Amino acid sequence: MKIIVKENDIEGGAAAFKIFEKGIKNGAKVLGLATGSTPVTLYQNWVKSDLNCDNLTSINLDEYVGLKPDNPQSYHYFMQKHLFDKKPFKKSYVPDGLEATKDPQAAADHYNQIIKDNPIDIQLLGIGRNGHIAFNEPGSSFDTVTREVKLTDNTIKANSRFFDNIDEVPKSAICMGIANIMSAKKVVLMAFGKNKAHAIKEMIEGPVTEQVPASILQKHLDVVVIIDKAAASELDDKYKK
């Protein structure tokens, strides 16, 4: 696990983009992508670059159940706004939130097949304050694959800042599982801010446990963690160099 500590999220986003750019130029074709506030600076660098994405495939981590792709709070909409409208890919996959309302198992099975047919070269991740990755909350089995997950009260509360009120936040999501994430050839995890410091410490220095889903990354062969000084504040000094 390689740890890169930057001054802030701006520098962190630039560093993350360099990793993706190098990977793509070296032959990476399938990218696992993420949403939320953390990767925004990465996508800003991506959009400003001259990187051609016409031959790339993307597979997103998750989507809210029940939201249409054109809903401003859907992850499909987020990806269009922050990346795909400016840098269209050959093919972009995001779980179908509407399909999942009718038959969540069929939607999950379909997505698992997409991942099987398109092995991920580089997977982008954020991390929750409790150590979750995507919507794989503490207690999620390391063997999980794409499935419908019920959102915890804490996750609903955290995500309510993107909605007009908390009652509008969907109560479940279709989410790539931990086994899917671990199947990627390379993982890039980004985290910024003091509120992520404890999760980062547990992920890197703590035991590998399903109570801290991100801790499983200790067992992956190629992980780069990009954090700012605030997120690194609880780490042992040897990781801050």
Side-chain angles (χ1 to χ4, degrees):
M1 188 179 285
K2 181 180 180 180
I3 316 298
I4 299 174
V5 181
K6 293 294 184 180
E7 188 69 32
N8 50 43
D9 63 330
I10 303 299
E11 292 184 7
F17 174 68
K18 287 181 180 179
I19 292 172
F20 275 89
E21 182 180 41
K22 181 179 179 181
I24 292 164
K25 290 181 176 179
N26 287 339
K29 298 291 186 184
V30 182
L31 309 178
L33 298 181
T35 56
S37 57
T38 299
V40 168
T41 53
L42 161 61
Y43 295 144
Q44 288 170 345
N45 278 272
W46 207 315
V47 167
K48 290 186 293 185
S49 77
D50 59 2
L51 192 63
N52 188 312
C53 301
D54 291 348
N55 201 35
L56 299 178
T57 296
S58 66
I59 304 178
N60 259 71
L61 284 168
D62 41 31
E63 178 61 282
Y64 288 119
V65 170
L67 295 192
K68 297 179 180 179
D70 61 355
N71 185 305
Q73 303 307 331
S74 74
Y75 292 154
H76 186 280
Y77 186 96
F78 176 99
M79 292 306 304
Q80 290 296 136
K81 175 182 177 183
H82 289 282
L83 186 61
F84 298 147
D85 282 349
K86 293 92 171 177
K87 291 285 186 179
F89 282 37
K90 179 178 72 173
K91 186 67 178 178
S92 298
Y93 295 103
V94 181
D96 190 325
L98 286 185
E99 180 187 358
T101 63
K102 305 168 187 176
D103 191 337
Q105 187 59 55
D109 290 345
H110 180 228
Y111 213 64
N112 281 319
Q113 189 62 49
I114 289 171
I115 297 168
K116 183 178 179 180
D117 293 342
N118 300 274
I120 296 171
D121 294 306
I122 309 174
Q123 176 66 59
L124 176 64
L125 293 177
I127 186 172
R129 298 181 190 183
N130 61 2
H132 74 244
I133 44 178
F135 283 119
N136 296 288
E137 298 286 353
S140 298
S141 169
F142 290 149
D143 296 328
T144 53
V145 292
T146 308
R147 67 210 185 283
E148 180 182 23
V149 294
K150 303 298 181 184
L151 306 188
T152 66
D153 289 342
N154 284 339
T155 295
I156 290 172
K157 183 178 180 181
N159 289 355
S160 66
R161 68 187 187 278
F162 301 115
F163 293 79
D164 289 336
N165 62 73
I166 196 169
D167 294 330
E168 293 183 5
V169 184
K171 302 302 185 287
S172 67
I174 292 290
C175 175
M176 197 185 290
I178 295 174
N180 299 124
I181 292 168
M182 289 293 287
S183 71
K185 296 173 187 174
K186 186 183 191 74
V187 174
V188 178
L189 185 144
M190 303 170 67
F192 308 119
K194 178 69 175 176
N195 62 357
K196 298 295 179 70
H198 185 67
I200 289 295
K201 181 178 178 64
E202 291 292 298
M203 177 186 76
I204 296 172
E205 298 180 14
V208 175
T209 169
E210 291 177 351
Q211 293 309 309
V212 183
S215 66
I216 189 62
L217 295 175
Q218 294 178 32
K219 294 185 174 294
H220 196 284
L221 295 178
D222 189 356
V223 177
V224 180
V225 178
I226 301 175
I227 50 182
D228 63 1
K229 289 184 176 179
S233 60
E234 294 188 21
L235 286 176
D236 186 281
D237 287 343
K238 68 181 180 181
Y239 295 109
K240 299 178 183 180
K241 297 178 181 179

